[in-house]
Amino acid sequence: MSPEQVKLVKSSFASVLPIAAEAGTLFYQRLFALDPALRPLFKGDMAEQSRLLIRMTAVAVNGLDRLETLVPALRALGVRHAGYGVVDAHYETVGEALLWTLERGLGEGFTPETAEAWNAAYAVLAKTMQSGARDAAAA
């Protein structure tokens, strides 16, 4: 990711924070619409799950300019997600739901450059999580 992309992701995420609860709800509604088979992976309170999603996204976004400090946490998160039944194919669906949610939440602020920056950020995050899950499974 370029420094400009990191700035775009950070500034656009800051614009989503005031509607964080709504964004979390939109994300999960879209995720389950895209792949209803994912719904059973989420056993707890969805409002709490939405809060966790926003909190973890904030950690990831804030760490984009210090990836070396973020990688261990992302790898561990990937291992935990694999334990819940998450497989590589799910990451594509999550990315699609994330971008859809951001587009709705940011409106005109979701420019092509912002979309490209989020695609790049999500690719880094997802690949790191997937790598952690694969390495743990191989160990």
Side-chain angles (χ1 to χ4, degrees), residues 49-69:
Q49 184 65 40
S50 292
R51 285 189 288 277
L52 286 171
L53 169 73
I54 298 299
R55 198 170 21 228
M56 290 306 302
T57 304
V59 168
V61 165
N62 290 328
L64 285 175
D65 51 5
R66 303 177 317 278
L67 278 177
E68 68 282 353
T69 63

Side-chain angles (χ1 to χ4, degrees), residues 25-35 93 96-97 100-101:
T25 299
L26 282 173
F27 170 82
Y28 285 108
Q29 287 174 348
R30 182 64 177 169
L31 182 68
F32 301 146
L34 290 169
D35 187 351
T93 308
E96 188 177 335
W100 181 90
T101 302

